[in-house]
Amino acid sequence: ADYDLSHQEPSQRSSTATKANPKATSQTSTMAATDVIDWDEAMEQCGEDEEFLRELLADLRSEVDQQVEKMKQILTTPTPPPDRLHRIMRASHVIKGAASNLMCQQLRHTAAQLEQEANKVNVTSGDAAAPPDQIAIIHSRYQDLQLAVQNYHAFLQSVGI
């Protein structure tokens, strides 16, 4: 079934697409495969070349993992760098752009939310003066992104990438 459940929280989502039919979902799935990737649109972006799309999706996995690891180090260090919000904005922007190019909607959406929240705090309070409650929101958006990354990994595994 092709339907959009983007209004659901990321914690309510999981992917069950198969290699034979990347858009297929089981009856127990609460997330359409199109929440992870709009396969038809991604194929169109790649000139209907599935091998090329699969290669790009694998490359995206590597890039996303690198950016998420950068953010994890920034968010878990006892003494955060003075430009931590800018670094988080940059890393989430990279994920947002790459995911958008490959029609990976959940990654794009959660990365955009994290980028926007980090930017909002940076503009309104500045990095050094960011209130703990606003930093907690950034941590929450980061956790949403981590879940989207887990869903992306599960999708790739389910389609043999």
Side-chain angles (χ1 to χ4, degrees):
D2 280 345
Y3 51 92
D4 183 11
L5 298 175
S6 59
H7 63 279
Q8 287 188 340
E9 292 298 319
S11 62
Q12 296 173 311
R13 301 174 181 184
S14 64
S15 177
T16 58
T18 64
K19 183 175 181 178
N21 184 356
K23 297 189 310 180
T25 58
S26 74
Q27 291 181 344
T28 60
S29 175
T30 59
M31 180 184 69
T34 55
D35 283 348
V36 175
I37 182 172
D38 184 330
W39 190 265
D40 292 338
E41 286 291 321
M43 283 290 289
E44 187 176 314
Q45 287 288 104
C46 293
E48 304 300 327
D49 184 341
E50 186 173 339
E51 183 178 335
F52 182 52
L53 174 57
R54 288 173 173 276
E55 182 179 320
L56 291 175
L57 292 172
D59 291 346
L60 176 61
R61 175 180 45 213
S62 298
E63 183 64 38
V64 165
D65 290 350
Q66 288 174 13
Q67 298 302 325
V68 167
E69 182 58 33
K70 285 180 189 179
M71 287 186 274
K72 177 182 176 185
Q73 290 175 4
I74 292 165
L75 290 169
T76 59
T77 184
T79 309
D83 62 344
R84 69 181 162 174
L85 295 174
H86 180 72
R87 290 183 188 190
I88 291 167
M89 288 181 330
R90 279 187 27 214
S92 54
H93 183 81
V94 168
I95 293 171
K96 179 185 77 174
S100 182
N101 288 337
L102 291 174
M103 308 299 152
C104 297
Q105 302 309 328
Q106 189 181 40
L107 280 175
R108 181 201 56 77
H109 179 72
T110 55
Q113 287 184 318
L114 177 56
E115 179 186 22
Q116 289 168 1
E117 193 63 40
N119 183 53
K120 181 175 91 175
V121 173
N122 195 38
V123 168
T124 59
S125 304
D127 205 313
D133 62 325
Q134 290 180 334
I135 297 300
I137 293 170
I138 290 171
H139 278 267
S140 177
R141 296 295 176 262
Y142 172 74
Q143 290 172 345
D144 291 344
L145 178 60
Q146 285 182 305
L147 182 58
V149 170
Q150 290 172 2
N151 289 340
Y152 181 68
H153 281 226
F155 173 82
L156 293 182
Q157 184 176 12
S158 75
V159 295
I161 299 175

